[in-house]
Amino acid sequence: MSSVWAYNGLLPGPTIRASRGSTAQLNLVNGLSQETITHWHGMIVDHLNDGHPRYAIQPGGTYSYNFAINQRAAMNWYHPHPDMLTGEQVAMGLAGAFIVNDSVEGALGLPSGVYEVPLVIRDAKFDTAWNMLYKPRSGGFLGDTPLVNGTLNPKLDVDTALYRFRVLNGSNSRIFGLTLGNNEPFTLIGNDGGLLETSVPVTRVDMANGERVDLLIDFRQMAVGSSVLLRDLRSGWDFLQFVVARKVNDTSTIPTSLSTITRLSNPVRTRNFSFDGMSKINGKEYDINRIDFQVPFGETELWRFTTAGNAPHPVHVHGASFQVQSRSGGRGQLYPWERGWKDTVLLEDRETVEVLICFDAFKGLYLLHCHKLEHEDMGMMSNFQVV
Ligand code: C2O
Ligand code: CU
């Protein structure tokens, strides 16, 4: 048992599931001794429901959310978003998964029930009594211990079956390079914005904090009693041990064609965003009261994110998903998990990433920021208004 800050007393917070077409009604009651507000990362909601820091509530206060769910099936993420306090609140345990289902996904017959497992992976730091600790560093908080769904050194007994793992990097700043210990590929089927057009085998997935991947792992050829590790190639950590515990007869097939992605094209204007130092976008630190730019509703724009250094900067946008077009400088390429719809994209040193984006759901106040939470808290964030 350790002392953490948690939603409904759970670490991570309860997994919320909802179908497209339904309405979410959620009450946030602030039991902390500092202000907070919850943002539904990846959910396309109006700005009063988006958890903007302007709507933070004081200790003892309540915020009632009520929004219609009208977006593609995907695994999203909820976490606090108060001005300058997000890093501490997330590191102390406040975060959880929000899964949206829809009929397109339902028709594919993907692994479900016990065969569909959300994995919220993060790093953490503890004191000698195993209480969660937060020590901000301007380069980003780094914990020394991996936690999978809030558990240390986890093991998962699996059947000889095909499994679907919904992975979220819930770290403040740590980037993962996921791989399987036996060098077998995962089948990548989705990311931040839901299912890709087609499935693709990959032996490694790099994910920044805030990014999600949807992976199938096939244990059908493995012998009962054998095991395989889910590992992080960057830190060298083992995240999770899968132990094949039971023989079953699973005849499901891995679908190749998954969903339709309507391509954005012909942007009407370009905006440049430079992620400067550790606290600025286009030379400015965040000011909760300043609106930095206005975006016309329903027009496709090209947004160009660039940085000279102090990366990684995982760039995240509220209010719309985007489609990544190109990466130049740095790694100089796009990866399979960057296809389709995204809401967070990784910018390494000297990289320029271009995305197409169109705000066609709501007008109102939204945010663009670096999702390294210590950079966000220091001011690498910008308010914009969809008009
Ligand atoms: Cu996951 Cu503005 O945040
Ligand atoms: Cu950053």
Side-chain angles (χ1 to χ4, degrees), residues 168-212:
L168 156 65
N169 180 345
S171 304
N172 280 42
S173 85
R174 188 181 284 280
I175 295 169
F176 300 145
L178 292 183
T179 196
L180 286 173
N182 60 5
N183 299 316
E184 288 293 316
F186 314 106
T187 302
L188 174 73
I189 61 169
N191 58 2
D192 307 356
L195 294 167
L196 302 175
E197 280 181 320
T198 52
S199 57
V200 48
V202 287
T203 50
R204 171 181 181 150
V205 178
D206 283 281
M207 53 185 324
N209 38 302
E211 293 191 290
R212 286 88 72 204

Side-chain angles (χ1 to χ4, degrees), residues 39-42 50-51 53 77-81 86 90 209-210 212 316-318 343-344 367-371 373 376 381:
H39 166 58
W40 316 96
H41 179 133
D50 194 52
W77 184 29
Y78 61 96
H79 64 75
H81 220 301
T86 297
V90 172
N209 38 302
R212 286 88 72 204
H316 173 52
V317 184
H318 294 208
D343 55 56
T344 306
L367 289 165
L368 160 72
H369 62 91
C370 176
H371 217 292
L373 297 179
E376 171 182 337
M381 180 152 77

Side-chain angles (χ1 to χ4, degrees), residues 275 277-278 310-314 370-372 375-376 380:
F275 289 76
M278 295 186 282
N310 296 293
H313 303 296
C370 176
H371 217 292
K372 178 180 280 187
H375 288 184
E376 171 182 337
M380 192 174 264

